[in-house]
């Protein structure tokens, strides 16, 4: 494993808001040339054993993964965990608690959408849900597209489900400190996901990074499906400045919806960075 390794350490299956089952995603990752893979479903490790078994059967090294929703400074931040014990009680119990608010939130989203004439959104979204504990905005977005309210998922997020728009329900997710602690207690490394997406001011971003590191967080995504080339340059600098480990992942959700396929990120990490997988060698599951 080296800087040019085709690592894809961020993607989603039907266990959260992706459209492919863990086994199908594993096969697609392998076919697309992935040399080190992690499935990182939102707030859920229920797909880890399936993903690992499938990856190892295909001869593809595997790291456990998760993407945890965090409320920080009144905004939602995502923290990826890598290389943990997916059965560790701190992590499993913490994630179960953080998933619990999703059902009530979904019903409120549906009530809010009904006020603008969109009926049956809760029941509609449920038809797209693979894991009853993980109903997400993405499932509502798929329902709104297929019911003809919008032409694609990005239009849904522009018109609905985001702050100030119908169907948006503010939610309190896990704290940054708890999240990093769950990952570390389970033996993993915490990574700030897609930092370019938050729209933070430099002051807010500095606060996020320094608090994250004070809790023991060690990594940041530099090359991700949601970064532009300019973001990659910027966060290469950030990783160096703060001495953070660098991660790489497509954030693939679906062949129909995602811009970057699993394993098909065009950029590698700069040779000046320290890839997160270099500190996770003994956490990698190797094929027999
Ligand atoms: P939730 O965790 O229920 O708030 O849903 C968040 C998910 O919605 C993210 O993980 C993305 O998959 C998806 N999402 C958020 N914003 C957008 C967007 N602008 N376009 C497409 N998908 C989005
Ligand atoms: Mn998602
Ligand atoms: Mn995310
Ligand atoms: Mn993601």
């Amino acid at each position: 494993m080296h800087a040019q390794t085709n690592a894809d350490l961020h993607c989603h299956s039907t266990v959260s808001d992706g459209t492919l089952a863990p086994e199908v995603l594993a096969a697609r990752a392998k076919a697309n040339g992935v040399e080190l893979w992690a499935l990182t479903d939102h707030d859920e490790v229920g797909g880890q054993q399936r993903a690992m078994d499938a990856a190892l059967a295909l001869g593809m090294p595997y790291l456990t993964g998760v993407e945890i929703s965090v409320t920080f400074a009144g905004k939602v931040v995502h923290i990826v965990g890598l290389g943990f014990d997916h059965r560790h009680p701190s992590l499993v119990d913490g994630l179960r608690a953080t998933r619990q608010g999703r059902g009530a939130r979904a019903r409120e989203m549906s009530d809010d959408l009904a006020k603008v004439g969109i009926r049956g959104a809760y029941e509609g979204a449920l038809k797209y849900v693979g894991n009853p504990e993980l109903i997400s905005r993405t499932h509502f977005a798929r329902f709104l597209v297929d019911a003809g309210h919008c032409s694609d998922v990005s239009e849904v997020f522009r018109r609905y489900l985001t702050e100030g728009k119908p169907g948006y329900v503010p939610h309190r997710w896990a704290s940054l400190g708890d999240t990093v602690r769950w990952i570390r207690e389970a033996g993993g490394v915490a990574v700030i996901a897609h930092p370019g997406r938050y729209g933070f001011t430099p002051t807010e971003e500095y606060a996020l990074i320094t608090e994250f590191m004070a809790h023991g967080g060690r990594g940041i995504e530099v090359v991700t499906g949601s970064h532009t080339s300019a973001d990659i340059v910027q966060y290469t600098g950030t990783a160096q400045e703060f001495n953070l480990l660098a991660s790489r992942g497509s954030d693939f959700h679906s062949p129909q919806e995602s811009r970057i396929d699993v394993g098909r990120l065009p950029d590698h990490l700069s040779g000046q960075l320290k890839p997160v997988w270099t500190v996770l060698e003994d956490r990698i599951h190797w094929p027999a």
Side-chain angles (χ1 to χ4, degrees), residues 10 42 67 78 194 251:
H10 189 149
H42 295 287
E67 180 177 23
H78 286 170
H194 43 61
D251 207 357

Side-chain angles (χ1 to χ4, degrees), residues 17 42 78 102 105 136-138 153 157 173 197 253:
D17 62 347
H42 295 287
H78 286 170
R102 283 187 178 267
R105 170 196 187 228
S136 91
R137 284 186 291 163
T138 314
V153 162
F157 282 95
W173 300 105
R197 258 178 60 175
H253 283 70

